[in-house]
Amino acid sequence: MFAKPVLGRTTADAEGDVVVLLIGMRINHFWAAHQWLPVALSMFRMLGELARDGDRGLLGRVLLTASPRTYYVVQYWESKEKLYAYATAPDMFHHRVWGIINRKERAGRTRGHVGIWHEAYVVPEGAYESVYADMPAFGLAAAHGQVPVERRGRCARDRFAHRSAAEVAEETG
């Protein structure tokens, strides 16, 4: 089922800091599917696990490809604390996968057939903005909600300058 576009210009309804995780894999040797396919399937299993437990803090995600070799997920998290809590929770699949990877590395059993990576960012309020034209909620807007662009400003400069009520109250103290 495809989401219907919201006509006109909209922006994300994010308030406060935004936590973004980019996580992915690169297939270094296509013929070594027995090495990279489990990595890809693990990502889908982790995303499913997070989708079933909304309290873990994953707000939204977008699956992307950079090339036939490189696949990644842009994830939007409620907080860096929740991201870290998921990554280190012993009852979650991520913890088990990292244990397997670490044991293989220590034993010299990684062969360079697949690369894995992640980058995490905490973007402070006032350091992000977004605009969508005739788009369903996507990316940051799918994670935090979508509002008419006029609520935050028609120009990028105005959207960057937007402050949440909590931020304004803290500034005026």
Side-chain angles (χ1 to χ4, degrees):
M1 175 154 105
F2 293 99
K4 290 188 178 200
V6 174
L7 299 180
R9 291 189 182 203
T10 60
T11 189
D13 195 21
E15 298 283 345
D17 295 348
V18 170
V19 179
V20 182
L21 174 70
L22 309 177
I23 187 166
M25 63 175 272
R26 182 183 189 276
I27 299 169
N28 294 330
H29 300 110
F30 283 110
W31 53 266
H34 64 288
Q35 296 287 333
W36 56 260
L37 188 57
V39 174
L41 294 175
S42 292
M43 178 56 73
F44 288 111
R45 183 168 171 185
M46 286 182 256
L47 290 172
E49 181 178 69
L50 286 162
R52 287 187 299 277
D53 187 354
D55 292 336
R56 290 280 174 187
L58 180 66
L59 299 175
R61 47 112 181 120
V62 179
L63 296 144
L64 299 167
T65 181
S67 72
R69 291 184 180 277
T70 306
Y71 301 89
Y72 65 105
V73 184
V74 178
Q75 297 179 358
Y76 302 92
W77 284 80
E78 191 176 314
S79 68
K80 67 180 178 182
E81 292 78 18
K82 287 209 173 184
L83 171 58
Y84 183 72
Y86 172 73
T88 59
D91 60 325
M92 295 286 102
F93 186 61
H94 178 270
H95 192 266
R96 194 164 100 203
V97 168
W98 269 108
I100 293 167
I101 290 168
N102 289 335
R103 282 189 297 280
K104 283 185 175 186
E105 280 182 353
R106 282 192 300 273
R109 292 181 38 224
T110 57
R111 306 224 180 348
H113 299 306
V114 61
I116 54 177
W117 61 276
H118 84 256
E119 299 173 357
Y121 304 94
V122 177
V123 187
E125 186 170 56
Y128 59 86
E129 70 88 24
S130 62
V131 67
Y132 311 92
D134 300 333
M135 285 284 296
F138 181 84
L140 190 61
H144 288 274
Q146 186 176 25
V147 296
V149 76
E150 292 79 12
R151 290 222 356 230
R152 298 287 174 94
R154 293 207 54 85
C155 299
R157 173 180 49 247
D158 297 332
R159 292 187 299 276
F160 272 122
H162 174 80
R163 295 294 180 267
S164 64
E167 178 77 12
V168 170
E170 187 175 301
E171 288 174 0
T172 59

